[in-house]
Amino acid sequence: MRFALRLKRPASRWLTLALALVGPFCTTGCYDRQELEQQAFVSVLGIDKAPGGLIDCTFRIAQPVNPTGGSSHSGQQPLAGKEPITVRARSIPEAMMIANGSVERSITFSHLSLIVFGEDLAKQGVEPYIEALTRYREFRRTVPVSVSKGKASESMKAFQPMLDSAITRIADGVALVSQRTGIAPVCPIQLLIDGMENPHEDAMAPIFAVNENVEKGDMPDSPGLSYRAGDVRRSGGNPVDWMGAAIFREDRMVDEVTGRDCLYLRLLQGGVHHATLTLRDPEDPSRDIGLELHKERPAEYQVTLSQPMVITAHVPVDADVINISSTRNYAEPQARQKLEQELDKQVSERMQRLLERLLVVDQADVIPVSKAIRSKFMTYQQFAAFPWEEKLKTAKVHVDVQIHVRRFGVQLEPIQKKS
């Protein structure tokens, strides 16, 4: 027995040595890898409608640089140094392939931070292009989507940030500011897909627009204010406004709301944590009162499936007064109660008109209110088969806003003028 074991040991050693030599050649390696210096990272993708059923894909490419190479920018070159390129094709993958014939690096979407649809394309329907975005592995469903008034290529070309030079940071900064102020929504690709797939739900995306007043360098003389992207009364800064929302029904843009209406809509959704709202002073309509809004409780919806259908929204709002331009002292209990009642009335009327416009006229439920009727059906199939959009055409909408004034800033009484 010992003799047999001695004979087998050399064979096992040779077998082990052979596996050690041949094994590395049988495993997969990085023979097909691409170095960073060989790739062109698309940070912003614009998609516009083109003649003949084609599309124009606009790419803004960020070129990585060596952070130890003495550059003042860590990670990417300044945005102003790179002009976007536009390629006409039948689909996004085809545009990507054609662009590789004029860009000296391999184009990749792995670092994509924003997708911009042109207004004409959004009104026609974005489903064919969402399909390409969701199937290709380089696209992440968390990438934000927006709609450009006019062509997406025009907004991308005019966009000049005030602070950030890294392209990938700009979209994150815009989304963060929009989330805090409420004047524009945040819409990742997945949210747009949910609006197309889930029954009785729709989506909304922020609107970008070139402000011609900023490009001209002149402040317009027209009176009044504007919360509409492209018409904001301002001079200087980034020529592009992001304000308001494009309302989608399934995959088509059917309406547009201003930044002020978007704030009310975000309150109805329960998605505003901190925002500023300016209303008329009840004692002097020519003056205004500024409120800092805080999230208290989400809005509650009650839906009566009658003929016509009745929708009632209860919206609690917790607020601090940050500005009273009149000399009225609202800190007194009776004056404070009257102030809350008057503010409730103003906001309720504005929200009711907005809901009637979206639900009754557009039949677009971006909140969605339809969640309030799910418990009325035994199965999901019954809920999906309910003619919600048809019922919305004749629905009656009521909004009840309850504003609770918590504080009056750091000063309770108004400034007393000298007698």
Side-chain angles (χ1 to χ4, degrees), residues 48-59:
D48 288 309
K49 184 179 178 181
L54 304 178
I55 58 173
D56 287 340
C57 290
T58 303
F59 308 104

Side-chain angles (χ1 to χ4, degrees), residues 37-67:
E37 293 80 6
Q38 300 172 339
Q39 301 180 62
F41 294 99
V42 177
S43 60
V44 183
L45 170 63
I47 310 173
D48 288 309
K49 184 179 178 181
L54 304 178
I55 58 173
D56 287 340
C57 290
T58 303
F59 308 104
R60 183 175 284 281
I61 299 175
Q63 179 183 357
V65 296
N66 187 355

Side-chain angles (χ1 to χ4, degrees), residues 67-322:
T68 62
S71 175
S72 59
H73 301 284
S74 60
Q76 293 177 335
Q77 290 185 351
L79 181 64
K82 292 296 178 182
E83 289 293 328
I85 62 172
T86 302
V87 176
R88 181 163 297 179
R90 289 173 295 185
S91 64
I92 297 175
E94 187 177 48
M96 180 180 177
M97 180 182 64
I98 295 175
N100 273 319
S102 57
V103 178
E104 59 275 13
R105 298 186 182 186
S106 179
I107 290 180
T108 176
F109 293 108
S110 59
H111 288 67
L112 188 66
S113 61
L114 179 64
I115 300 172
V116 184
F117 288 110
E119 186 177 9
D120 291 342
L121 190 73
K123 291 180 178 179
Q124 174 182 304
V126 298
E127 181 181 1
Y129 317 105
I130 294 295
E131 284 285 346
L133 298 177
T134 55
R135 289 181 182 273
Y136 192 33
R137 62 180 180 85
E138 289 189 0
F139 287 99
R140 293 168 287 112
R141 296 197 177 197
T142 56
V143 177
V145 176
S146 64
V147 175
S148 171
K149 295 187 68 175
K151 289 186 173 295
S153 58
E154 296 175 353
S155 296
M156 292 173 59
K157 186 176 181 179
F159 197 97
Q160 295 296 331
M162 288 286 295
L163 301 175
D164 286 323
S165 59
I167 304 177
T168 53
R169 292 182 180 178
I170 295 173
D172 294 337
V174 170
L176 182 60
V177 171
S178 301
Q179 187 74 25
R180 289 179 175 176
T181 60
I183 59 175
V186 179
C187 179
I189 294 179
Q190 184 59 51
L191 192 60
L192 194 59
I193 295 174
D194 291 341
M196 293 189 296
E197 291 183 340
N198 296 340
H200 317 319
E201 290 188 19
D202 297 292
M204 61 178 180
I207 290 182
F208 284 60
V210 179
N211 195 318
E212 296 182 358
N213 299 318
V214 177
E215 287 195 326
K216 294 177 181 178
D218 298 329
M219 178 69 75
D221 296 331
S222 55
L225 299 174
S226 176
Y227 283 83
R228 188 179 300 276
D231 296 330
V232 178
R233 309 294 193 261
R234 65 183 181 93
S235 63
N238 193 333
V240 178
D241 298 331
W242 53 87
M243 186 174 296
I247 304 300
F248 282 82
R249 185 172 65 228
E250 297 180 354
D251 71 320
R252 288 180 172 83
M253 175 182 172
V254 296
D255 203 349
E256 172 191 351
V257 297
T258 65
R260 189 180 182 90
D261 286 335
C262 187
L263 175 56
Y264 288 120
L265 191 53
R266 297 291 302 282
L267 285 172
L268 289 165
Q269 285 182 322
V272 174
H273 295 273
H274 296 281
T276 302
L277 182 63
T278 301
L279 301 172
R280 297 189 307 273
D281 192 321
E283 298 294 332
D284 187 356
S286 63
R287 302 294 184 116
D288 58 81
I289 289 182
L291 301 178
E292 184 180 15
L293 309 178
H294 303 277
K295 185 176 181 180
E296 189 176 67
R297 297 189 310 276
E300 298 178 358
Y301 294 90
Q302 297 177 352
V303 181
T304 303
L305 300 181
S306 56
Q307 187 62 32
M309 187 168 60
V310 179
I311 300 173
T312 304
H314 302 277
V315 187
V317 179
D318 198 10
D320 294 341
V321 177
I322 59 175

